[in-house]
Amino acid sequence: MSYAGGRRANRTRLAGTGTTPSRPLFIEHDLRADKNRVGPHDQHTRDEVLALLPASPLWPTRKYRRCLDPGIRILDYTGRILDWLETHPGDGWQARWHTADADRDKEVVHA
């Protein structure tokens, strides 16, 4: 077995015992309730949305070995999602999300 830097890769250390139970990525609710709910950034451009992300309190501040910055990955993947949403018709990001049927099969996806 190979260890990087004397530590096992992908090892999770938790207070207490046992593993963390998997959690669904989505909270189960009636999607019709969200149909007309639109956030304050719905009409922003792709670049404006991406510029907002680093201001999030959830934005990663840690840099990894070899200068890997998880924020760059997040911006890249979010940009890909926004590019995909731009291929769908709609007035704003929420409408494009619905047009793309992006919530389809959400109940079978778990973390």
Side-chain angles (χ1 to χ4, degrees):
M1 201 182 270
S2 168
Y3 293 97
R7 292 178 37 207
R8 220 167 105 187
N10 299 326
R11 185 170 182 191
T12 303
R13 295 182 185 188
L14 301 173
T17 59
T19 59
T20 304
S22 65
R23 297 181 317 183
L25 293 175
F26 298 97
I27 296 171
E28 193 60 40
H29 65 284
D30 185 0
L31 294 177
R32 291 175 291 181
D34 288 341
K35 188 160 180 93
N36 295 318
R37 186 179 303 164
V38 176
H41 309 296
D42 188 61
Q43 297 296 317
H44 282 39
T45 67
R46 175 192 185 276
D47 291 338
E48 289 170 334
V49 170
L50 292 175
L52 289 169
L53 292 178
S56 167
L58 300 175
W59 191 254
T61 57
R62 178 178 170 202
K63 296 234 187 330
Y64 294 93
R65 279 186 269 157
R66 294 188 225 125
C67 299
L68 296 176
D69 184 350
I72 292 173
R73 268 184 123 163
I74 292 169
L75 289 174
D76 179 48
Y77 292 140
T78 304
R80 291 179 192 191
I81 292 169
L82 295 175
D83 290 343
W84 172 71
L85 286 173
E86 284 182 327
T87 66
H88 294 85
D91 182 31
W93 297 111
Q94 186 73 15
R96 290 182 186 120
W97 183 267
H98 288 297
T99 303
D101 196 21
D103 285 321
R104 181 175 13 116
D105 296 331
K106 69 171 183 57
E107 64 277 350
V108 297
V109 179
H110 294 277

